[in-house]
Amino acid sequence: VSAGLCGCCWALRPRYKRLVDNIFPEDPEDGLVKANMEKLTFFALSAPEKLDRIAAYLSERLTRELNRHRYGYVCIAMEAMEQLLLACHCQSINLLVESFLSTLRLLLEADKPHLHILATSSFVKFANIEEDTPSYHRSYDFFVSRFSEMCHSEHEDLDIQNKIRVSGIRGLQGVVRKTVDDELQVNIWEPRHMEQIVPALLVNLQQHTHTSRYAHTHSPAEQTEVCFRELLSRAAYGHITNAIRPVLMHLDSHSLWEGRSFAVQCFQIIMYSIQSQHSHLVIQQLLGHLDANSKSPASVRAGIVEVLSEAAVIEATGSVGPTVLEVFNTLLRQLRQSVDYQLTGYYDNTGKRETTSAEEKTLQDGVIKTIGSFANTLPIYQRSEVMLFIMGKIPVPGIYPALGSPNSGRMIQVMLLKSLLQRYESCNLLTALPSSFLEPLLSFTLMEDPEIRLLVLSILTSLIDRRHNAARLTAASVMFDVSVLELKEDRCSRQDNLFIRKNAQRLYRHVYLTCKEESSGRGHYQALVTLLAVLSVELANEEVVVDLIRLVLALQELALSPHECLSVFNRCGVHAVCAAFLNLLSQLGPPPPFHLHITQVIEHRQGNAPHLLPKDVFCDEPRLPQGELMVDETFLFVQSKICEALTGSSYSAHTERFNTPYTPQLTDEDRLSKRKSIGDVISLQIDMDPQYCPDTQQTEQITFETLKNAIDRGGVEEEERRRRMQVVERFQTAPFEEIAAHCGSKLDQVFDLIIRPPPSPSGHSPPRSTPLYGIKFPDLCVY
């Protein structure tokens, strides 16, 4: 009777419950009863209004089986719910979803890893279903939190740990797919979600899976990279910041900047994944983070700088963003700051955190490399602006005050000039080297520091060398074969002719003055040969070639002049520069007689004066003659023979220029030089003392005694010259207060002489109408 009663009650149950109960077999190992599942599916599609009840009953049945630890039936219930989800039309799916998600929460809250994996797999299938009907009240916060937690699994069994982590990553990927394109869903880009998702992905990106043991499954690192790329590729303009900030925080908290390789890998994935028009936002985030870490160890700052450099290479050309100069301003500020840290030995203001010179030097090299990487992503017209911007930051004595100690000012000069040494590609030299940039750059060739002068020569060469020939000219030699060079096939362009016409004399002048420097060494002379060779390859026409030969002949005379205070090495170095360059120039177009003369002179030197050639001078141990340097006429390049060799060729129209020897034009740029410092100018003013400048109104009758006294004044003049040299030296080295105290009265006399009005016909000077402080003095007197 009881059995019949139960059967009768079962028959009275709603049909949907009977259909649901029928899908469960007697033995769970037999799996879902497919025939009965098809009946349930047909019923659900025929009566969609019953879907919510079907889903609720399935969820109730699954909960009961879960509490009884009958996990086989749990899996069957989940499979049935998945099939119903996939079979239902988009319009009615919302009736199933709430029960489905609550069931997944139940499984994810259980303490069984296989249930977590099962729930995640079901969620991923659900996430791949496209819905047409929006849902206004669905929440995925729990899933974000739980899947992120699974990504950090530390299960004792490595195989299970791997599976849990992979499931967590796939779950996060499903959440992103389900929510990122639906504005009515939860905003996955909010910081509270990103701060869970991104660290969970990065932790697994670091893991190195043993593929031999886990070949049957995806490794967490591979799955993470796929998920991370998909997340970033869907990020819109306003979401980039929220996606990148957790990456920076993770790298900070786990000290991953110092290792560099992982940080670089992360940002390579980021830069390749995001939309190219948003890449400058990542750069700005990194720059801001670099500023925020100004008081961090050098290794951390160097790691951020290296990431910046790699990101700049990947970044789309010209996409640094609207604040181009701000990028370089930040990098230059870091460079200046690093120099200060290097000098003090501490990277904070309290003097407690020590740093080493080697660490700061590594950082500085990284910043310089990054400046070059950024510059090469810019359009050509912006590169010139960047070079001008950097030039404006270089401290120049007397014009731009150097901050900090003199050592700090010099080191900053060197570092900023090195940043200009990065290759700034340009086709048009008129735009690449405007006067506003070239003039201050060339002014550094007049400074005492040999390293700075050498840097300037290298910068000039790199900017003019558009065909990359400088690397082939590193070793100056008279045996050089020009066939290894990349020569231009046509004549100079109009822009090139305008550039060389405008700047030739300025460039020649600085080459000449560099050769006059006593502190010039082997590197300077080799750099001069390279610069002259690049000029002749890139910009030479007939007129330029003739002017370059005139310059070389002037350098030869400079090396022979007894009035120049040059050592034997300096003189031999200048002779070697002349030989190496003329040998190269003679192979670039001038007629064969010119090449013959150059070859004959070089052969004479090789036989009897090898110390006048690069091989013996530009080596580790120069082989120089003892005593004074004596140069025979046969070892010199002769102007008349060169002129004769060029006659009858296309160069003959310009050979008349040889009648005027080259002499450098002195300009106001010399005020930056040690020979035209402010001390020299003041000493010249002092020499205008009335005792040396007698009043022009006084006349003196010339007699025999006068002439005799003038002849006997040789010793006196020598004494006066020595005294003047002492005055010059005093003004170069003495403190300003001492100079002012010593010369105050004499300066007043000088000013009186300068502004003295012309005498009136009556012989009386009119009263001064303008006070002394209101008079505009000549530029020579104003510093």
Side-chain angles (χ1 to χ4, degrees):
V1 176
S2 61
L5 184 62
C6 290
C8 179
C9 292
W10 185 86
L12 295 174
R13 290 164 63 83
R15 185 182 178 191
Y16 73 88
K17 287 189 177 182
R18 296 200 306 272
L19 291 172
V20 169
D21 288 338
N22 287 338
I23 67 173
F24 292 94
E26 292 185 5
D27 185 356
E29 292 184 0
D30 293 339
L32 185 69
V33 179
K34 296 188 183 300
N36 292 337
M37 185 65 215
E38 290 176 1
K39 293 178 182 178
L40 176 62
T41 304
F42 179 77
F43 175 79
L45 293 175
S46 303
E49 69 278 2
K50 299 290 182 67
L51 269 174
D52 54 342
R53 299 180 189 180
I54 295 172
Y57 185 63
L58 263 175
S59 179
E60 178 186 338
R61 181 72 187 263
L62 184 146
T63 304
R64 186 164 64 244
E65 304 297 349
L66 181 63
N67 292 333
R68 295 174 179 176
H69 303 290
R70 298 165 68 175
Y71 300 121
Y73 288 124
V74 170
C75 295
I76 291 172
M78 281 308 306
E79 184 180 353
M81 294 189 81
E82 290 171 12
Q83 290 194 22
L84 284 174
L85 275 173
L86 295 172
C88 290
H89 296 294
C90 295
Q91 290 83 356
S92 56
I93 197 172
N94 277 332
L95 298 174
L96 274 171
V97 169
E98 287 306 317
S99 296
F100 175 74
L101 293 179
S102 63
T103 304
L104 293 183
R105 291 190 193 97
L106 198 64
L107 294 179
L108 289 170
E109 287 173 347
D111 58 354
K112 300 294 182 182
H114 70 279
L115 295 180
H116 300 166
I117 296 170
L118 174 65
T120 305
S121 177
S122 296
F123 183 86
V124 171
K125 292 176 183 177
F126 162 68
N128 291 328
I129 299 174
E130 294 185 6
E131 299 182 58
D132 292 337
T133 307
S135 175
Y136 299 96
H137 54 276
R138 200 180 295 168
S139 173
Y140 295 97
D141 292 5
F142 169 82
F143 295 99
V144 171
S145 176
R146 192 69 187 93
F147 290 145
S148 298
E149 185 180 341
M150 289 170 65
C151 292
H152 294 277
S153 171
E154 295 292 341
H155 197 280
E156 55 188 15
D157 188 320
L158 289 179
D159 193 12
I160 295 176
Q161 179 193 110
N162 233 20
K163 290 179 179 179
I164 294 174
R165 289 194 173 199
V166 169
S167 294
I169 295 164
R170 293 178 65 228
L172 290 176
Q173 191 174 10
V175 173
V176 172
R177 286 179 181 173
K178 200 66 181 172
T179 61
V180 75
D181 293 326
D182 190 350
E183 295 181 357
L184 298 175
Q185 299 283 8
V186 61
N187 186 1
I188 202 70
W189 301 106
E190 289 181 1
R192 62 193 179 95
H193 295 310
M194 286 291 105
E195 287 171 7
Q196 295 182 73
I197 294 173
V198 173
L201 296 177
L202 295 180
V203 164
N204 287 280
L205 198 59
Q206 291 176 257
Q207 301 298 320
H208 299 285
T209 307
H210 303 289
T211 54
S212 58
R213 288 189 59 186
Y214 309 116
H216 59 281
T217 184
H218 291 292
S219 73
E222 292 174 358
Q223 191 68 36
T224 297
E225 185 171 341
V226 172
C227 180
F228 197 32
R229 288 183 184 278
E230 182 174 347
L231 174 69
L232 294 166
S233 66
R234 295 170 180 265
Y237 181 87
H239 303 147
I240 295 293
T241 301
N242 288 345
I244 301 302
R245 187 182 295 116
V247 178
L248 301 174
M249 293 170 59
H250 180 83
L251 295 174
D252 283 344
S253 59
H254 291 81
S255 302
L256 295 173
W257 293 111
E258 299 177 26
R260 302 187 192 179
S261 59
F262 178 70
V264 170
Q265 179 191 357
C266 280
F267 278 90
Q268 283 177 338
I269 293 173
I270 291 170
M271 296 301 291
Y272 280 122
S273 302
I274 63 174
Q275 301 173 45
S276 59
Q277 66 268 28
H278 301 156
S279 58
H280 69 275
L281 294 174
V282 180
I283 300 296
Q284 289 178 0
Q285 286 275 95
L286 281 168
L287 288 169
H289 199 66
L290 180 60
D291 271 345
N293 281 273
S294 295
K295 298 295 195 305
S296 297
S299 56
V300 173
R301 286 175 279 134
I304 301 174
V305 167
E306 183 173 342
V307 170
L308 268 168
S309 178
E310 294 295 329
V313 173
I314 300 169
E315 186 180 28
T317 302
S319 179
V320 173
T323 55
V324 175
L325 295 182
E326 186 58 33
V327 171
F328 294 93
N329 194 32
T330 300
L331 292 172
L332 294 177
R333 184 165 59 248
Q334 290 296 322
L335 198 59
R336 180 183 288 269
Q337 195 172 58
S338 176
V339 168
D340 292 338
Y341 290 163
Q342 182 179 355
L343 290 172
T344 60
Y346 298 94
Y347 61 87
D348 63 350
N349 297 328
T350 60
K352 295 180 180 178
R353 301 176 180 177
E354 294 185 359
T355 185
T356 64
S357 180
E359 289 177 334
E360 296 296 340
K361 185 70 171 59
T362 302
L363 170 64
Q364 292 157 15
D365 292 342
V367 172
I368 291 169
K369 175 188 171 186
T370 305
I371 289 173
S373 298
F374 271 111
N376 285 325
T377 67
L378 297 173
I380 291 174
Y381 72 92
Q382 281 190 323
R383 294 178 198 173
S384 300
E385 293 179 9
V386 168
M387 291 192 296
L388 275 172
F389 181 75
I390 295 174
M391 180 60 70
K393 294 288 184 180
I394 301 178
V396 179
I399 292 181
Y400 188 100
L403 301 178
S405 64
N407 285 338
S408 173
R410 182 200 170 275
M411 288 179 67
I412 292 169
Q413 283 178 338
V414 171
M415 291 300 159
L416 295 184
L417 286 171
K418 282 183 177 179
S419 69
L420 288 174
L421 192 54
Q422 304 301 305
R423 182 164 289 280
Y424 294 82
E425 301 286 350
S426 177
C427 297
N428 189 346
L429 291 179
L430 274 176
T431 57
L433 289 170
S435 297
S436 53
F437 172 77
L438 191 59
E439 289 182 8
L441 177 65
L442 288 174
S443 68
F444 284 97
T445 62
L446 302 171
M447 298 189 68
E448 291 183 356
D449 196 315
E451 183 180 2
I452 290 178
R453 295 202 310 273
L454 182 57
L455 275 174
V456 173
L457 291 174
S458 301
I459 292 168
L460 279 173
T461 302
S462 68
L463 292 173
I464 296 173
D465 182 26
R466 292 167 295 186
R467 291 172 175 79
H468 311 299
N469 286 317
R472 306 179 182 99
L473 293 162
T474 48
S477 170
V478 294
M479 305 300 292
F480 190 80
D481 184 4
V482 296
S483 62
V484 302
L485 299 179
E486 183 182 340
L487 306 177
K488 62 176 184 289
E489 298 177 358
D490 50 359
R491 296 180 64 84
C492 288
S493 65
R494 179 175 177 273
Q495 290 86 354
D496 286 351
N497 285 330
L498 287 173
F499 172 80
I500 196 65
R501 192 177 303 158
K502 181 179 180 181
N503 299 297
Q505 294 306 316
R506 188 179 295 144
L507 291 169
Y508 301 158
R509 172 176 174 271
H510 284 276
V511 169
Y512 185 90
L513 294 178
T514 301
C515 287
K516 291 186 68 172
E517 293 289 345
E518 301 171 47
S519 57
S520 292
R522 166 186 170 186
H524 296 81
Y525 294 126
Q526 289 181 326
L528 282 171
V529 174
T530 305
L531 175 59
L532 290 171
V534 167
L535 278 173
S536 61
V537 170
E538 294 284 346
L539 301 167
N541 52 39
E542 287 81 357
E543 183 179 353
V544 172
V545 168
V546 170
D547 282 343
L548 286 171
I549 296 172
R550 289 175 60 226
L551 172 63
V552 170
L553 293 174
L555 293 178
Q556 182 176 260
E557 291 300 319
L558 173 70
L560 294 171
S561 173
H563 303 296
E564 297 294 336
C565 299
L566 295 175
S567 66
V568 173
F569 171 76
N570 294 138
R571 296 178 187 275
C572 291
V574 174
H575 281 297
V577 168
C578 297
F581 173 64
L582 286 179
N583 172 67
L584 185 144
L585 185 65
S586 67
Q587 302 177 60
L588 293 177
F594 176 76
H595 181 63
L596 179 62
H597 172 63
I598 302 303
T599 305
Q600 288 174 346
V601 173
I602 290 174
E603 287 175 353
H604 286 143
R605 291 188 180 186
Q606 286 174 334
N608 301 294
H611 53 273
L612 302 180
L613 296 174
K615 184 178 180 181
D616 279 30
V617 181
F618 304 152
C619 56
D620 294 332
E621 296 181 2
R623 294 178 283 276
L624 305 176
Q626 299 294 327
E628 276 191 50
L629 179 65
M630 305 299 295
V631 182
D632 192 80
E633 291 287 339
T634 57
F635 304 147
L636 299 177
F637 303 103
V638 182
Q639 175 182 316
S640 59
K641 292 184 178 180
I642 292 175
C643 207
E644 180 182 347
L646 297 177
T647 303
S649 66
S650 59
Y651 300 89
S652 58
H654 305 283
T655 52
E656 61 185 20
R657 299 172 69 88
F658 284 115
N659 297 330
T660 307
Y662 173 80
T663 52
Q665 301 171 354
L666 296 179
T667 68
D668 290 341
E669 287 177 288
D670 279 342
R671 71 181 183 277
L672 299 177
S673 169
K674 58 185 179 183
R675 293 171 183 78
K676 281 290 181 181
S677 65
I678 187 171
D680 297 329
V681 174
I682 294 177
S683 69
L684 291 175
Q685 294 173 346
I686 299 304
D687 287 344
M688 293 173 64
D689 192 281
Q691 63 177 312
Y692 301 111
C693 302
D695 189 52
T696 54
Q697 299 300 310
Q698 299 178 359
T699 59
E700 182 179 358
Q701 294 183 356
I702 299 176
T703 62
F704 174 78
E705 290 296 326
T706 305
L707 294 174
K708 180 181 177 183
N709 292 336
I711 294 172
D712 294 339
R713 277 189 58 129
V716 177
E717 289 179 353
E718 179 63 26
E719 179 63 25
E720 288 179 0
R721 191 182 69 80
R722 188 183 61 79
R723 189 189 66 79
R724 291 186 186 186
M725 292 299 294
Q726 290 176 349
V727 172
V728 169
E729 184 179 355
R730 178 187 301 170
F731 278 98
Q732 287 179 333
T733 57
F736 176 77
E737 293 79 5
E738 181 181 334
I739 295 172
H742 183 265
C743 302
S745 60
K746 291 190 177 183
L747 284 173
D748 288 338
Q749 296 174 11
V750 172
F751 292 150
D752 287 337
L753 286 173
I754 293 173
I755 62 174
R756 177 180 295 168
S760 64
S762 62
H764 300 284
S765 298
R768 182 182 295 137
S769 58
T770 305
L772 180 63
Y773 57 81
I775 295 174
K776 184 177 180 181
F777 293 101
D779 290 343
L780 183 66
C781 302
V782 181
Y783 272 82

